[in-house]
Structure formats: C-alpha cells, structure tokens
PDB file of all heavy atoms in Angstrom:
ATOM      1  N   ALA A 136     105.414 245.302  64.559  1.00  0.00           N
ATOM      2  CA  ALA A 136     106.746 244.836  65.048  1.00  0.00           C
ATOM      3  C   ALA A 136     107.137 243.463  65.019  1.00  0.00           C
ATOM      4  O   ALA A 136     108.097 243.055  64.445  1.00  0.00           O
ATOM      5  CB  ALA A 136     106.768 245.280  66.652  1.00  0.00           C
ATOM      6  N   PRO A 137     106.124 242.425  65.310  1.00  0.00           N
ATOM      7  CA  PRO A 137     106.440 241.104  65.013  1.00  0.00           C
ATOM      8  C   PRO A 137     106.321 240.687  63.456  1.00  0.00           C
ATOM      9  O   PRO A 137     107.064 239.845  63.106  1.00  0.00           O
ATOM     10  CB  PRO A 137     105.488 240.323  65.765  1.00  0.00           C
ATOM     11  CG  PRO A 137     104.315 241.253  66.070  1.00  0.00           C
ATOM     12  CD  PRO A 137     104.937 242.601  66.092  1.00  0.00           C
ATOM     13  N   ALA A 138     105.531 241.513  62.817  1.00  0.00           N
ATOM     14  CA  ALA A 138     105.506 241.276  61.447  1.00  0.00           C
ATOM     15  C   ALA A 138     106.783 241.491  60.678  1.00  0.00           C
ATOM     16  O   ALA A 138     107.178 240.998  59.712  1.00  0.00           O
ATOM     17  CB  ALA A 138     104.327 242.002  60.746  1.00  0.00           C
ATOM     18  N   GLU A 139     107.525 242.515  61.195  1.00  0.00           N
ATOM     19  CA  GLU A 139     108.800 242.925  60.616  1.00  0.00           C
ATOM     20  C   GLU A 139     109.819 241.899  60.789  1.00  0.00           C
ATOM     21  O   GLU A 139     110.668 241.534  59.890  1.00  0.00           O
ATOM     22  CB  GLU A 139     109.212 244.352  61.168  1.00  0.00           C
ATOM     23  CG  GLU A 139     108.488 245.511  60.643  1.00  0.00           C
ATOM     24  CD  GLU A 139     109.003 246.758  61.228  1.00  0.00           C
ATOM     25  OE1 GLU A 139     109.967 246.689  62.066  1.00  0.00           O
ATOM     26  OE2 GLU A 139     108.550 247.798  60.992  1.00  0.00           O
ATOM     27  N   ARG A 140     109.669 241.224  61.975  1.00  0.00           N
ATOM     28  CA  ARG A 140     110.646 240.086  62.235  1.00  0.00           C
ATOM     29  C   ARG A 140     110.424 238.887  61.449  1.00  0.00           C
ATOM     30  O   ARG A 140     111.256 238.248  61.044  1.00  0.00           O
ATOM     31  CB  ARG A 140     110.640 239.740  63.767  1.00  0.00           C
ATOM     32  CG  ARG A 140     111.198 240.911  64.660  1.00  0.00           C
ATOM     33  CD  ARG A 140     111.380 240.296  65.966  1.00  0.00           C
ATOM     34  NE  ARG A 140     110.067 240.095  66.726  1.00  0.00           N
ATOM     35  CZ  ARG A 140     109.381 240.973  67.453  1.00  0.00           C
ATOM     36  NH1 ARG A 140     109.947 242.055  67.625  1.00  0.00           N
ATOM     37  NH2 ARG A 140     108.323 240.596  68.061  1.00  0.00           N
ATOM     38  N   ARG A 141     109.055 238.688  61.043  1.00  0.00           N
ATOM     39  CA  ARG A 141     108.679 237.465  60.349  1.00  0.00           C
ATOM     40  C   ARG A 141     108.868 237.673  58.819  1.00  0.00           C
ATOM     41  O   ARG A 141     109.156 236.768  58.130  1.00  0.00           O
ATOM     42  CB  ARG A 141     107.194 237.095  60.624  1.00  0.00           C
ATOM     43  CG  ARG A 141     107.032 236.502  62.126  1.00  0.00           C
ATOM     44  CD  ARG A 141     105.682 235.940  62.171  1.00  0.00           C
ATOM     45  NE  ARG A 141     104.580 236.816  61.728  1.00  0.00           N
ATOM     46  CZ  ARG A 141     103.987 237.642  62.556  1.00  0.00           C
ATOM     47  NH1 ARG A 141     104.179 237.707  63.768  1.00  0.00           N
ATOM     48  NH2 ARG A 141     102.922 238.469  62.064  1.00  0.00           N
ATOM     49  N   HIS A 142     108.654 239.049  58.314  1.00  0.00           N
ATOM     50  CA  HIS A 142     108.596 239.094  56.895  1.00  0.00           C
ATOM     51  C   HIS A 142     109.603 240.146  56.490  1.00  0.00           C
ATOM     52  O   HIS A 142     109.383 240.877  55.526  1.00  0.00           O
ATOM     53  CB  HIS A 142     107.177 239.562  56.535  1.00  0.00           C
ATOM     54  CG  HIS A 142     106.098 238.666  56.907  1.00  0.00           C
ATOM     55  ND1 HIS A 142     105.825 237.435  56.340  1.00  0.00           N
ATOM     56  CD2 HIS A 142     105.270 238.788  57.988  1.00  0.00           C
ATOM     57  CE1 HIS A 142     104.884 236.752  56.898  1.00  0.00           C
ATOM     58  NE2 HIS A 142     104.464 237.645  57.921  1.00  0.00           N
ATOM     59  N   GLY A 143     110.577 240.475  57.264  1.00  0.00           N
ATOM     60  CA  GLY A 143     111.550 241.545  56.799  1.00  0.00           C
ATOM     61  C   GLY A 143     112.203 241.252  55.513  1.00  0.00           C
ATOM     62  O   GLY A 143     112.372 239.997  55.135  1.00  0.00           O
ATOM     63  N   THR A 144     112.374 242.314  54.621  1.00  0.00           N
ATOM     64  CA  THR A 144     112.999 242.199  53.439  1.00  0.00           C
ATOM     65  C   THR A 144     114.308 242.870  53.304  1.00  0.00           C
ATOM     66  O   THR A 144     114.595 243.729  54.073  1.00  0.00           O
ATOM     67  CB  THR A 144     111.918 242.815  52.292  1.00  0.00           C
ATOM     68  OG1 THR A 144     111.762 244.070  52.703  1.00  0.00           O
ATOM     69  CG2 THR A 144     110.695 242.066  52.482  1.00  0.00           C
ATOM     70  N   ASP A 145     115.079 242.639  52.266  1.00  0.00           N
ATOM     71  CA  ASP A 145     116.418 243.296  52.148  1.00  0.00           C
ATOM     72  C   ASP A 145     116.381 244.141  50.860  1.00  0.00           C
ATOM     73  O   ASP A 145     117.473 244.437  50.196  1.00  0.00           O
ATOM     74  CB  ASP A 145     117.373 242.096  51.912  1.00  0.00           C
ATOM     75  CG  ASP A 145     117.591 241.269  53.108  1.00  0.00           C
ATOM     76  OD1 ASP A 145     117.387 241.854  54.272  1.00  0.00           O
ATOM     77  OD2 ASP A 145     117.765 240.042  53.069  1.00  0.00           O
ATOM     78  N   ASP A 146     115.267 244.501  50.366  1.00  0.00           N
ATOM     79  CA  ASP A 146     115.125 245.214  49.083  1.00  0.00           C
ATOM     80  C   ASP A 146     114.768 246.789  49.334  1.00  0.00           C
ATOM     81  O   ASP A 146     114.290 247.248  48.479  1.00  0.00           O
ATOM     82  CB  ASP A 146     114.243 244.574  47.988  1.00  0.00           C
ATOM     83  CG  ASP A 146     112.788 244.489  48.708  1.00  0.00           C
ATOM     84  OD1 ASP A 146     112.651 244.834  49.895  1.00  0.00           O
ATOM     85  OD2 ASP A 146     111.816 244.039  48.005  1.00  0.00           O
ATOM     86  N   GLY A 147     115.006 247.172  50.641  1.00  0.00           N
ATOM     87  CA  GLY A 147     114.759 248.573  50.903  1.00  0.00           C
ATOM     88  C   GLY A 147     113.353 248.802  51.185  1.00  0.00           C
ATOM     89  O   GLY A 147     112.826 250.058  51.266  1.00  0.00           O
ATOM     90  N   ARG A 148     112.482 247.852  51.379  1.00  0.00           N
ATOM     91  CA  ARG A 148     111.101 247.994  51.787  1.00  0.00           C
ATOM     92  C   ARG A 148     110.798 247.448  53.114  1.00  0.00           C
ATOM     93  O   ARG A 148     111.547 246.486  53.618  1.00  0.00           O
ATOM     94  CB  ARG A 148     110.280 247.274  50.807  1.00  0.00           C
ATOM     95  CG  ARG A 148     110.217 247.777  49.335  1.00  0.00           C
ATOM     96  CD  ARG A 148     109.371 247.049  48.546  1.00  0.00           C
ATOM     97  NE  ARG A 148     109.650 245.688  48.422  1.00  0.00           N
ATOM     98  CZ  ARG A 148     108.800 244.749  47.768  1.00  0.00           C
ATOM     99  NH1 ARG A 148     107.844 245.208  47.225  1.00  0.00           N
ATOM    100  NH2 ARG A 148     109.190 243.642  47.761  1.00  0.00           N
ATOM    101  N   ARG A 149     109.941 248.090  53.847  1.00  0.00           N
ATOM    102  CA  ARG A 149     109.665 247.718  55.111  1.00  0.00           C
ATOM    103  C   ARG A 149     108.226 247.150  55.298  1.00  0.00           C
ATOM    104  O   ARG A 149     107.249 247.804  54.852  1.00  0.00           O
ATOM    105  CB  ARG A 149     109.860 248.881  56.158  1.00  0.00           C
ATOM    106  CG  ARG A 149     109.803 248.625  57.617  1.00  0.00           C
ATOM    107  CD  ARG A 149     110.165 249.869  58.300  1.00  0.00           C
ATOM    108  NE  ARG A 149     109.323 251.106  57.919  1.00  0.00           N
ATOM    109  CZ  ARG A 149     109.813 252.418  58.152  1.00  0.00           C
ATOM    110  NH1 ARG A 149     110.839 252.566  58.644  1.00  0.00           N
ATOM    111  NH2 ARG A 149     108.946 253.295  57.607  1.00  0.00           N
ATOM    112  N   PRO A 150     108.202 246.011  55.996  1.00  0.00           N
ATOM    113  CA  PRO A 150     106.723 245.449  56.049  1.00  0.00           C
ATOM    114  C   PRO A 150     105.781 246.312  56.885  1.00  0.00           C
ATOM    115  O   PRO A 150     106.228 246.970  57.755  1.00  0.00           O
ATOM    116  CB  PRO A 150     106.926 244.166  56.793  1.00  0.00           C
ATOM    117  CG  PRO A 150     108.449 243.798  56.647  1.00  0.00           C
ATOM    118  CD  PRO A 150     109.070 245.112  56.595  1.00  0.00           C
ATOM    119  N   ALA A 151     104.569 246.346  56.460  1.00  0.00           N
ATOM    120  CA  ALA A 151     103.553 247.064  57.174  1.00  0.00           C
ATOM    121  C   ALA A 151     102.350 246.286  57.268  1.00  0.00           C
ATOM    122  O   ALA A 151     102.295 245.154  56.919  1.00  0.00           O
ATOM    123  CB  ALA A 151     103.244 248.437  56.491  1.00  0.00           C
ATOM    124  N   VAL A 152     101.282 246.839  57.897  1.00  0.00           N
ATOM    125  CA  VAL A 152     100.084 246.017  58.159  1.00  0.00           C
ATOM    126  C   VAL A 152      98.945 246.774  57.481  1.00  0.00           C
ATOM    127  O   VAL A 152      98.618 247.985  57.689  1.00  0.00           O
ATOM    128  CB  VAL A 152      99.758 245.845  59.655  1.00  0.00           C
ATOM    129  CG1 VAL A 152      98.507 245.101  59.961  1.00  0.00           C
ATOM    130  CG2 VAL A 152     101.033 245.212  60.400  1.00  0.00           C
ATOM    131  N   ASP A 153      98.235 246.063  56.691  1.00  0.00           N
ATOM    132  CA  ASP A 153      97.031 246.828  56.055  1.00  0.00           C
ATOM    133  C   ASP A 153      95.888 246.746  56.769  1.00  0.00           C
ATOM    134  O   ASP A 153      95.887 246.462  58.072  1.00  0.00           O
ATOM    135  CB  ASP A 153      96.820 246.021  54.529  1.00  0.00           C
ATOM    136  CG  ASP A 153      96.472 244.651  54.797  1.00  0.00           C
ATOM    137  OD1 ASP A 153      96.145 244.257  55.900  1.00  0.00           O
ATOM    138  OD2 ASP A 153      96.480 243.871  53.779  1.00  0.00           O
ATOM    139  N   GLU A 154      94.734 247.159  56.209  1.00  0.00           N
ATOM    140  CA  GLU A 154      93.482 247.202  57.003  1.00  0.00           C
ATOM    141  C   GLU A 154      93.145 245.851  57.623  1.00  0.00           C
ATOM    142  O   GLU A 154      92.397 245.841  58.574  1.00  0.00           O
ATOM    143  CB  GLU A 154      92.347 247.777  56.126  1.00  0.00           C
ATOM    144  CG  GLU A 154      92.580 249.184  55.685  1.00  0.00           C
ATOM    145  CD  GLU A 154      92.729 250.156  56.743  1.00  0.00           C
ATOM    146  OE1 GLU A 154      92.069 249.927  57.866  1.00  0.00           O
ATOM    147  OE2 GLU A 154      93.308 251.242  56.748  1.00  0.00           O
ATOM    148  N   GLY A 155      93.377 244.842  57.060  1.00  0.00           N
ATOM    149  CA  GLY A 155      93.067 243.512  57.534  1.00  0.00           C
ATOM    150  C   GLY A 155      94.200 242.850  58.418  1.00  0.00           C
ATOM    151  O   GLY A 155      94.193 241.785  58.647  1.00  0.00           O
ATOM    152  N   HIS A 156      95.178 243.760  58.784  1.00  0.00           N
ATOM    153  CA  HIS A 156      96.195 243.320  59.746  1.00  0.00           C
ATOM    154  C   HIS A 156      96.988 242.251  59.079  1.00  0.00           C
ATOM    155  O   HIS A 156      97.563 241.498  59.705  1.00  0.00           O
ATOM    156  CB  HIS A 156      95.586 242.814  61.197  1.00  0.00           C
ATOM    157  CG  HIS A 156      94.921 243.948  61.756  1.00  0.00           C
ATOM    158  ND1 HIS A 156      95.613 244.936  62.427  1.00  0.00           N
ATOM    159  CD2 HIS A 156      93.585 244.193  62.001  1.00  0.00           C
ATOM    160  CE1 HIS A 156      94.714 245.820  62.923  1.00  0.00           C
ATOM    161  NE2 HIS A 156      93.446 245.348  62.816  1.00  0.00           N
ATOM    162  N   ARG A 157      97.292 242.374  57.879  1.00  0.00           N
ATOM    163  CA  ARG A 157      98.102 241.327  57.102  1.00  0.00           C
ATOM    164  C   ARG A 157      99.324 242.077  56.689  1.00  0.00           C
ATOM    165  O   ARG A 157      99.270 243.328  56.175  1.00  0.00           O
ATOM    166  CB  ARG A 157      97.507 240.768  55.876  1.00  0.00           C
ATOM    167  CG  ARG A 157      96.281 239.878  56.109  1.00  0.00           C
ATOM    168  CD  ARG A 157      95.548 239.396  55.048  1.00  0.00           C
ATOM    169  NE  ARG A 157      95.054 240.595  54.143  1.00  0.00           N
ATOM    170  CZ  ARG A 157      94.345 240.491  53.094  1.00  0.00           C
ATOM    171  NH1 ARG A 157      94.302 239.249  52.558  1.00  0.00           N
ATOM    172  NH2 ARG A 157      93.840 241.637  52.459  1.00  0.00           N
ATOM    173  N   ALA A 158     100.587 241.573  56.890  1.00  0.00           N
ATOM    174  CA  ALA A 158     101.876 242.100  56.587  1.00  0.00           C
ATOM    175  C   ALA A 158     101.949 242.460  55.148  1.00  0.00           C
ATOM    176  O   ALA A 158     101.659 241.440  54.281  1.00  0.00           O
ATOM    177  CB  ALA A 158     102.937 241.214  57.084  1.00  0.00           C
ATOM    178  N   ARG A 159     102.327 243.557  54.669  1.00  0.00           N
ATOM    179  CA  ARG A 159     102.566 243.931  53.386  1.00  0.00           C
ATOM    180  C   ARG A 159     103.739 244.839  53.288  1.00  0.00           C
ATOM    181  O   ARG A 159     103.945 245.692  54.181  1.00  0.00           O
ATOM    182  CB  ARG A 159     101.334 244.585  52.719  1.00  0.00           C
ATOM    183  CG  ARG A 159     100.933 245.853  53.406  1.00  0.00           C
ATOM    184  CD  ARG A 159      99.743 246.540  52.644  1.00  0.00           C
ATOM    185  NE  ARG A 159      99.181 247.674  53.369  1.00  0.00           N
ATOM    186  CZ  ARG A 159      99.854 248.753  53.335  1.00  0.00           C
ATOM    187  NH1 ARG A 159     101.019 249.070  52.687  1.00  0.00           N
ATOM    188  NH2 ARG A 159      99.176 249.922  53.969  1.00  0.00           N
ATOM    189  N   PRO A 160     104.598 244.943  52.160  1.00  0.00           N
ATOM    190  CA  PRO A 160     105.704 245.731  52.180  1.00  0.00           C
ATOM    191  C   PRO A 160     105.280 247.194  51.965  1.00  0.00           C
ATOM    192  O   PRO A 160     104.575 247.487  50.984  1.00  0.00           O
ATOM    193  CB  PRO A 160     106.609 245.116  51.092  1.00  0.00           C
ATOM    194  CG  PRO A 160     105.600 244.519  50.244  1.00  0.00           C
ATOM    195  CD  PRO A 160     104.466 243.922  51.079  1.00  0.00           C
ATOM    196  N   THR A 161     105.703 248.182  52.765  1.00  0.00           N
ATOM    197  CA  THR A 161     105.575 249.562  52.430  1.00  0.00           C
ATOM    198  C   THR A 161     106.865 250.218  51.976  1.00  0.00           C
ATOM    199  O   THR A 161     107.886 250.001  52.596  1.00  0.00           O
ATOM    200  CB  THR A 161     104.999 250.316  53.737  1.00  0.00           C
ATOM    201  OG1 THR A 161     103.833 249.759  54.091  1.00  0.00           O
ATOM    202  CG2 THR A 161     105.093 251.735  53.645  1.00  0.00           C
ATOM    203  N   PRO A 162     106.745 250.889  50.836  1.00  0.00           N
ATOM    204  CA  PRO A 162     108.047 251.392  50.384  1.00  0.00           C
ATOM    205  C   PRO A 162     108.515 252.525  51.190  1.00  0.00           C
ATOM    206  O   PRO A 162     107.750 253.432  51.584  1.00  0.00           O
ATOM    207  CB  PRO A 162     107.629 251.883  48.922  1.00  0.00           C
ATOM    208  CG  PRO A 162     106.135 252.052  48.977  1.00  0.00           C
ATOM    209  CD  PRO A 162     105.630 251.050  49.951  1.00  0.00           C
ATOM    210  N   VAL A 163     109.825 252.616  51.394  1.00  0.00           N
ATOM    211  CA  VAL A 163     110.457 253.616  52.081  1.00  0.00           C
ATOM    212  C   VAL A 163     111.624 254.288  51.204  1.00  0.00           C
ATOM    213  O   VAL A 163     112.001 253.490  50.369  1.00  0.00           O
ATOM    214  CB  VAL A 163     111.024 253.307  53.456  1.00  0.00           C
ATOM    215  CG1 VAL A 163     110.016 252.790  54.375  1.00  0.00           C
ATOM    216  CG2 VAL A 163     112.117 252.247  53.220  1.00  0.00           C
ATOM    217  N   GLY A 164     111.858 255.473  51.339  1.00  0.00           N
ATOM    218  CA  GLY A 164     112.908 256.076  50.373  1.00  0.00           C
ATOM    219  C   GLY A 164     113.587 257.129  51.021  1.00  0.00           C
ATOM    220  O   GLY A 164     113.297 257.572  52.242  1.00  0.00           O
ATOM    221  N   PRO A 165     114.463 257.895  50.230  1.00  0.00           N
ATOM    222  CA  PRO A 165     115.136 258.993  50.864  1.00  0.00           C
ATOM    223  C   PRO A 165     114.146 260.118  51.068  1.00  0.00           C
ATOM    224  O   PRO A 165     113.235 260.528  50.327  1.00  0.00           O
ATOM    225  CB  PRO A 165     116.171 259.356  49.785  1.00  0.00           C
ATOM    226  CG  PRO A 165     115.580 258.743  48.577  1.00  0.00           C
ATOM    227  CD  PRO A 165     114.848 257.493  48.983  1.00  0.00           C
ATOM    228  N   VAL A 166     114.415 260.781  52.317  1.00  0.00           N
ATOM    229  CA  VAL A 166     113.552 261.938  52.691  1.00  0.00           C
ATOM    230  C   VAL A 166     114.538 263.014  53.056  1.00  0.00           C
ATOM    231  O   VAL A 166     115.543 262.816  53.849  1.00  0.00           O
ATOM    232  CB  VAL A 166     112.661 261.582  53.870  1.00  0.00           C
ATOM    233  CG1 VAL A 166     111.927 262.773  54.265  1.00  0.00           C
ATOM    234  CG2 VAL A 166     111.797 260.485  53.660  1.00  0.00           C
ATOM    235  N   GLU A 167     114.323 264.260  52.528  1.00  0.00           N
ATOM    236  CA  GLU A 167     115.096 265.491  52.793  1.00  0.00           C
ATOM    237  C   GLU A 167     114.515 266.212  54.006  1.00  0.00           C
ATOM    238  O   GLU A 167     113.470 266.686  53.895  1.00  0.00           O
ATOM    239  CB  GLU A 167     115.282 266.368  51.468  1.00  0.00           C
ATOM    240  CG  GLU A 167     116.485 267.186  51.451  1.00  0.00           C
ATOM    241  CD  GLU A 167     116.446 268.315  52.432  1.00  0.00           C
ATOM    242  OE1 GLU A 167     115.551 269.168  52.215  1.00  0.00           O
ATOM    243  OE2 GLU A 167     117.245 268.407  53.419  1.00  0.00           O
ATOM    244  N   LEU A 168     115.272 266.187  55.147  1.00  0.00           N
ATOM    245  CA  LEU A 168     114.868 266.665  56.385  1.00  0.00           C
ATOM    246  C   LEU A 168     114.522 268.236  56.264  1.00  0.00           C
ATOM    247  O   LEU A 168     113.522 268.684  56.876  1.00  0.00           O
ATOM    248  CB  LEU A 168     115.675 266.444  57.471  1.00  0.00           C
ATOM    249  CG  LEU A 168     115.736 265.043  57.939  1.00  0.00           C
ATOM    250  CD1 LEU A 168     116.793 264.902  59.095  1.00  0.00           C
ATOM    251  CD2 LEU A 168     114.451 264.525  58.546  1.00  0.00           C
ATOM    252  N   GLY A 169     115.366 269.021  55.586  1.00  0.00           N
ATOM    253  CA  GLY A 169     115.120 270.439  55.509  1.00  0.00           C
ATOM    254  C   GLY A 169     113.735 270.780  54.880  1.00  0.00           C
ATOM    255  O   GLY A 169     112.958 271.497  55.286  1.00  0.00           O
ATOM    256  N   GLU A 170     113.473 270.121  53.687  1.00  0.00           N
ATOM    257  CA  GLU A 170     112.136 270.308  53.126  1.00  0.00           C
ATOM    258  C   GLU A 170     111.014 269.913  53.990  1.00  0.00           C
ATOM    259  O   GLU A 170     109.999 270.575  54.081  1.00  0.00           O
ATOM    260  CB  GLU A 170     112.092 269.537  51.715  1.00  0.00           C
ATOM    261  CG  GLU A 170     110.786 269.660  51.000  1.00  0.00           C
ATOM    262  CD  GLU A 170     110.824 268.953  49.649  1.00  0.00           C
ATOM    263  OE1 GLU A 170     111.971 268.361  49.315  1.00  0.00           O
ATOM    264  OE2 GLU A 170     109.783 268.844  49.047  1.00  0.00           O
ATOM    265  N   LEU A 171     111.192 268.735  54.624  1.00  0.00           N
ATOM    266  CA  LEU A 171     110.182 268.243  55.575  1.00  0.00           C
ATOM    267  C   LEU A 171     109.820 269.203  56.741  1.00  0.00           C
ATOM    268  O   LEU A 171     108.795 269.419  57.091  1.00  0.00           O
ATOM    269  CB  LEU A 171     110.470 266.863  56.060  1.00  0.00           C
ATOM    270  CG  LEU A 171     109.468 266.231  56.902  1.00  0.00           C
ATOM    271  CD1 LEU A 171     108.104 265.920  56.100  1.00  0.00           C
ATOM    272  CD2 LEU A 171     109.964 264.836  57.416  1.00  0.00           C
ATOM    273  N   LEU A 172     110.926 269.713  57.231  1.00  0.00           N
ATOM    274  CA  LEU A 172     110.788 270.757  58.492  1.00  0.00           C
ATOM    275  C   LEU A 172     110.139 272.023  57.951  1.00  0.00           C
ATOM    276  O   LEU A 172     109.290 272.532  58.589  1.00  0.00           O
ATOM    277  CB  LEU A 172     112.211 271.042  58.978  1.00  0.00           C
ATOM    278  CG  LEU A 172     112.586 270.206  60.190  1.00  0.00           C
ATOM    279  CD1 LEU A 172     112.765 268.756  59.889  1.00  0.00           C
ATOM    280  CD2 LEU A 172     113.871 270.794  60.890  1.00  0.00           C
ATOM    281  N   ARG A 173     110.463 272.504  56.694  1.00  0.00           N
ATOM    282  CA  ARG A 173     109.820 273.766  56.174  1.00  0.00           C
ATOM    283  C   ARG A 173     108.367 273.427  56.036  1.00  0.00           C
ATOM    284  O   ARG A 173     107.410 274.354  56.247  1.00  0.00           O
ATOM    285  CB  ARG A 173     110.413 274.142  54.907  1.00  0.00           C
ATOM    286  CG  ARG A 173     111.786 274.681  55.083  1.00  0.00           C
ATOM    287  CD  ARG A 173     112.349 275.340  53.882  1.00  0.00           C
ATOM    288  NE  ARG A 173     112.830 274.394  52.842  1.00  0.00           N
ATOM    289  CZ  ARG A 173     114.046 273.825  52.771  1.00  0.00           C
ATOM    290  NH1 ARG A 173     114.941 274.190  53.682  1.00  0.00           N
ATOM    291  NH2 ARG A 173     114.420 272.810  51.891  1.00  0.00           N
ATOM    292  N   GLU A 174     107.956 272.256  55.621  1.00  0.00           N
ATOM    293  CA  GLU A 174     106.537 271.927  55.341  1.00  0.00           C
ATOM    294  C   GLU A 174     105.745 271.889  56.616  1.00  0.00           C
ATOM    295  O   GLU A 174     104.645 272.439  56.835  1.00  0.00           O
ATOM    296  CB  GLU A 174     106.460 270.583  54.574  1.00  0.00           C
ATOM    297  CG  GLU A 174     104.998 270.058  54.458  1.00  0.00           C
ATOM    298  CD  GLU A 174     104.894 268.666  53.916  1.00  0.00           C
ATOM    299  OE1 GLU A 174     105.922 268.039  53.415  1.00  0.00           O
ATOM    300  OE2 GLU A 174     103.747 268.071  54.095  1.00  0.00           O
ATOM    301  N   VAL A 175     106.417 271.358  57.657  1.00  0.00           N
ATOM    302  CA  VAL A 175     105.773 271.197  58.920  1.00  0.00           C
ATOM    303  C   VAL A 175     105.668 272.625  59.745  1.00  0.00           C
ATOM    304  O   VAL A 175     104.574 273.038  60.135  1.00  0.00           O
ATOM    305  CB  VAL A 175     106.472 270.260  59.955  1.00  0.00           C
ATOM    306  CG1 VAL A 175     105.787 270.292  61.256  1.00  0.00           C
ATOM    307  CG2 VAL A 175     106.357 268.836  59.436  1.00  0.00           C
ATOM    308  N   ALA A 176     106.738 273.364  59.525  1.00  0.00           N
ATOM    309  CA  ALA A 176     106.813 274.656  60.197  1.00  0.00           C
ATOM    310  C   ALA A 176     105.724 275.614  59.477  1.00  0.00           C
ATOM    311  O   ALA A 176     105.190 276.444  60.110  1.00  0.00           O
ATOM    312  CB  ALA A 176     108.157 275.235  60.025  1.00  0.00           C
ATOM    313  N   GLY A 177     105.473 275.312  58.185  1.00  0.00           N
ATOM    314  CA  GLY A 177     104.612 276.206  57.401  1.00  0.00           C
ATOM    315  C   GLY A 177     103.129 276.033  57.952  1.00  0.00           C
ATOM    316  O   GLY A 177     102.297 277.009  57.533  1.00  0.00           O
ATOM    317  N   ARG A 178     102.822 275.024  58.701  1.00  0.00           N
ATOM    318  CA  ARG A 178     101.494 274.821  59.281  1.00  0.00           C
ATOM    319  C   ARG A 178     101.241 275.757  60.325  1.00  0.00           C
ATOM    320  O   ARG A 178      99.992 275.932  60.770  1.00  0.00           O
ATOM    321  CB  ARG A 178     101.233 273.391  59.641  1.00  0.00           C
ATOM    322  CG  ARG A 178     101.346 272.297  58.555  1.00  0.00           C
ATOM    323  CD  ARG A 178     101.144 270.942  59.215  1.00  0.00           C
ATOM    324  NE  ARG A 178     101.264 269.916  58.187  1.00  0.00           N
ATOM    325  CZ  ARG A 178     100.890 268.761  58.326  1.00  0.00           C
ATOM    326  NH1 ARG A 178     100.446 268.280  59.632  1.00  0.00           N
ATOM    327  NH2 ARG A 178     100.963 267.816  57.392  1.00  0.00           N
ATOM    328  N   TYR A 179     102.248 276.316  61.146  1.00  0.00           N
ATOM    329  CA  TYR A 179     102.078 277.041  62.264  1.00  0.00           C
ATOM    330  C   TYR A 179     102.506 278.394  62.198  1.00  0.00           C
ATOM    331  O   TYR A 179     103.449 278.688  61.260  1.00  0.00           O
ATOM    332  CB  TYR A 179     102.751 276.308  63.425  1.00  0.00           C
ATOM    333  CG  TYR A 179     102.479 274.956  63.664  1.00  0.00           C
ATOM    334  CD1 TYR A 179     103.263 273.942  62.952  1.00  0.00           C
ATOM    335  CD2 TYR A 179     101.302 274.388  64.317  1.00  0.00           C
ATOM    336  CE1 TYR A 179     102.876 272.560  63.100  1.00  0.00           C
ATOM    337  CE2 TYR A 179     100.969 273.249  64.400  1.00  0.00           C
ATOM    338  CZ  TYR A 179     101.769 272.233  63.825  1.00  0.00           C
ATOM    339  OH  TYR A 179     101.519 270.844  63.980  1.00  0.00           O
TER     340      TYR A 179
END
C-alpha cells in the first residue's frame, strides 16, 4: 500500500513487493469475468 503511493506508475502497471519486500511493477491487464467465474466454479 505505501509502496504504491511512492512508486505509482502511469503505464498500466501496478507496483508490487517481491520476496525481499522491494517495490517492483506487477503487470495488470484486461480480465474477462465470465471466463474467470467459469474457471472458479469448475473447481466445485
């Protein structure tokens, strides 16, 4: 949460924290909810 405020980017990537707790950009992208719901429902 504080890393996002310090290292926020404007290129569609969101800062994350790696194993050493250092801020690094994690890519985010478009997600289709219908497909994701079918995948999760298929587990049960």
Side-chain angles (χ1 to χ4, degrees):
E139 289 181 355
R140 293 192 292 268
R141 293 193 303 268
H142 307 284
T144 60
D145 298 326
D146 56 358
R148 295 182 301 173
R149 188 170 54 203
V152 179
D153 61 13
E154 296 297 335
H156 299 284
R157 294 174 297 181
R159 59 175 175 82
T161 294
V163 297
V166 179
E167 207 282 299
L168 288 178
E170 180 181 351
L171 185 62
L172 264 64
R173 285 188 289 271
E174 176 189 345
V175 173
R178 299 183 178 186
Y179 306 96

